[in-house]
Each structure stands twice: as structure tokens, then as C-alpha cells.
């Protein structure tokens, strides 16, 4: 029995929410939470690395356009088969995501599903609510 045979996986979904200041120095917190959840769900180290890269790209994109003094929200949901990560922020512009850029291409290449949604201007929040969500399916070996 090698170490991968001892990983305990669950088919029951687990969901974790994290809120950080819209500051690049805080992305490490999101990365740590997503990495922990993915490892507990049975993802390989290589799969976790892809998840971290995709999360870094999504969070950085939103942080760079977030309204001042705002928060980034991240929800990580995983079961034994897949992980879904949704990162949301209130942004200064209604289209902060360059879907033709290198970052988007990287996220698209290493995830199984990638989507970005934005809402109309929200006066109360002072910006445009934007979400980037991606799903990574666990490769069963």
C-alpha cells in the first residue's frame, strides 16, 4: 500500500467560505484554504497545483479591479470527485476580466469548467459585482 491508497476521500460535499481584504498580500489565505480542501478531497499534488494557479489568477484579476476598501469572497466546495471555487468581488469596471488574455487562457487550460459573470452597477456597494468560478474534476487513477 503506497501513501495514495491511504488518502481518505468523501463523496459528501464540503463547503468553505473565506472573506479577505481586496489586497494581493491576502491571496495566500485563499490558496491555503483551497489547497487544504482539495487535498482532503483526494486530489493529487499536481491537481492541487493547478487549482492554486487558477485561484491565484482569478483572485488577482478581481483584486486589481476591486473598489477601494472592499472584500474578496471565496467559496470552495468539494467532494471526492470535483472541486468548485467561486471568487467574487465588487469591481470598478463592469468587465474586469480579459477573456482574451494570458491569465484567462491559463485558467481555461487547467480547469474543467470556467465562467465569469458580472452584474449591473450596484449603488449600495459602489461597483459591479463580479464572479469568476471554476471547477476541477478529480482524475481517478
Amino acid at each position: 500500500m503506497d501513501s495514495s491508497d491511504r488518502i481518505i476521500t468523501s463523496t459528501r460535499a464540503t463547503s468553505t467560505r473565506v472573506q479577505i481584504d481586496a489586497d494581493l498580500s491576502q491571496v495566500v489565505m485563499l490558496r491555503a484554504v483551497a489547497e487544504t480542501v482539495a487535498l482532503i478531497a483526494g486530489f493529487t499534488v499536481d491537481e492541487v497545483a493547478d487549482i492554486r494557479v487558477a485561484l491565484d489568477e482569478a483572485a488577482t484579476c478581481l483584486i486589481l479591479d476591486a473598489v477601494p476598501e472592499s472584500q474578496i469572497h471565496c467559496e470552495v466546495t468539494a467532494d471526492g470527485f470535483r472541486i468548485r471555487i467561486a471568487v467574487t468581488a465588487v469591481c470598478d469596471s463592469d468587465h474586469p476580466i480579459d477573456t482574451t488574455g494570458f491569465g484567462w487562457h491559463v485558467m481555461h487550460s487547467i480547469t474543467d469548467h470556467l465562467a465569469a459573470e458580472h452584474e449591473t452597477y450596484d449603488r449600495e456597494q459602489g461597483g459591479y459585482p463580479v464572479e469568476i468560478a471554476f471547477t476541477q474534476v478529480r482524475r481517478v487513477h
Side-chain angles (χ1 to χ4, degrees), residues 30-111:
L30 299 182
R31 195 181 312 132
V33 170
E35 180 178 343
T36 301
V37 171
L39 288 170
I40 290 170
F43 284 82
T44 67
V45 173
D46 290 338
E47 291 167 333
V48 172
D50 287 347
I51 292 165
R52 278 194 325 250
V53 169
L55 178 56
D56 280 354
E57 288 292 333
T60 299
C61 175
L62 294 179
I63 288 170
L64 292 176
D65 197 57
V67 297
E69 307 300 319
S70 65
Q71 303 283 305
I72 301 295
H73 302 267
C74 181
E75 183 172 3
V76 181
T77 304
D79 58 26
F81 306 106
R82 75 191 62 78
I83 189 168
R84 180 182 186 276
I85 299 178
V87 184
T88 59
V90 177
C91 295
D92 282 326
S93 65
D94 63 342
H95 286 88
I97 305 153
D98 179 6
T99 58
T100 64
F102 182 73
W104 185 262
H105 176 72
V106 168
M107 286 190 292
H108 188 267
S109 297
I110 61 177
T111 62

Side-chain angles (χ1 to χ4, degrees), residues 42-44 47 80-81 110-112 135-141:
F43 284 82
T44 67
E47 291 167 333
F81 306 106
I110 61 177
T111 62
D112 292 302
T135 303
Q136 180 72 30
V137 176
R138 184 171 161 241
R139 308 293 179 240
V140 179
H141 304 285

